[in-house]
């Protein structure tokens, strides 16, 4: 929030001082979170908050991870073939683990090799895909198949090789 205020981000509201009433602090936090959600901000702090909310929902069985019906079979097939599958999402790594760990098909995490989130960078920036390639230790980026439904992400991944 402090960074947003410095940068003049629309919707950013100052957080009251330590001597303010609890309700004032909560109201300011809620206003900031709602503004971030409305602006569809893909920032790590917001995604971490999402992960914490999801954890509570999954722990109480109020939430289930939704995946298409063909996903478990595809993941199992790739896993059996030795294909490593990673998830790169604007959702936090915690949120990804919760989603894939709590589906109507059971825990699908056994088929996944790892998770990436916006901590490696924005999904529409080339450098994020370079970071993933470096992290995976792949010499030739073309050995990685990146799937997305967002054109700008595909362009950024292609630019990284």
């Amino acid at each position: 929030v402090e960074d947003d205020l410095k940068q003049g981000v629309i919707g950013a509201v100052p957080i009251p001082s330590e001597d303010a009433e609890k309700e004032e602090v909560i109201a300011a936090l809620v206003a900031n979170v709602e503004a971030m959600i409305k602006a569809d901000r893909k920032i790590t702090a917001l995604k971490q908050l999402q992960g914490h909310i999801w954890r509570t929902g999954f722990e109480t069985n109020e939430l289930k991870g939704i995946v298409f019906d063909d996903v478990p079979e595809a993941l199992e097939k790739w896993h059996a073939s030795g294909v490593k599958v990673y998830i790169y999402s604007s959702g936090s790594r915690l949120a990804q683990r919760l989603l894939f760990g709590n589906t109507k098909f059971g825990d699908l995490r056994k088929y996944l090799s790892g998770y990436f989130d916006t901590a490696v960078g924005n999904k529409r920036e080339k450098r994020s895909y370079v970071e993933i390639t470096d992290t995976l230790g792949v010499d030739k980026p073309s050995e990685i198949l990146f799937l997305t439904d967002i054109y700008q992400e595909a362009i950024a991944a292609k630019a990284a090789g």
Side-chain angles (χ1 to χ4, degrees):
V1 172
E2 290 175 8
D3 288 344
D4 284 355
L5 289 168
K6 289 176 189 171
Q7 296 172 18
V9 172
I10 295 172
V13 177
I15 304 297
S17 64
E18 292 179 18
D19 57 334
E21 295 292 322
K22 180 179 177 180
E23 291 76 20
E24 289 179 71
V25 175
I26 290 172
L29 290 171
V30 168
N32 281 291
V33 170
E34 287 177 343
M36 291 176 195
I37 291 169
K38 184 177 180 183
D40 195 26
R41 307 253 326 261
K42 305 294 186 194
I43 56 174
T44 303
L46 184 59
K47 295 303 176 176
Q48 288 172 336
L49 175 61
Q50 175 192 46
H52 294 300
I53 292 169
W54 282 22
R55 182 177 57 224
T56 301
F58 285 116
E59 286 174 354
T60 61
N61 288 319
E62 292 179 63
L63 296 176
K64 282 285 181 202
I66 305 295
V67 298
F68 290 109
D69 291 343
D70 60 346
V71 168
E73 183 180 336
L75 289 175
E76 185 176 8
K77 183 178 177 181
W78 293 330
H79 184 76
S81 299
V83 174
K84 292 183 178 181
V85 177
Y86 296 84
I87 305 296
Y88 178 29
S89 173
S90 57
S92 70
R93 290 184 300 160
L94 170 61
Q96 295 172 51
R97 286 192 300 275
L98 289 167
L99 189 146
F100 284 97
N102 296 279
T103 76
K104 71 178 184 179
F105 304 102
D107 189 346
L108 301 177
R109 294 175 299 175
K110 61 188 170 201
Y111 302 122
L112 301 174
S113 297
Y115 310 88
F116 294 96
D117 62 13
T118 55
V120 298
N122 185 296
K123 292 179 69 182
R124 297 179 184 204
E125 295 177 5
K126 171 186 170 182
R127 67 179 176 79
S128 304
Y129 300 92
V130 170
E131 178 66 27
I132 289 171
T133 300
D134 290 347
T135 300
L136 296 179
V138 176
D139 293 328
K140 294 174 16 183
S142 61
E143 294 176 355
I144 299 172
L145 172 63
F146 175 70
L147 304 172
T148 182
D149 61 344
I150 306 294
Y151 179 74
Q152 296 87 346
E153 293 174 8
I155 295 299
K158 183 178 180 182

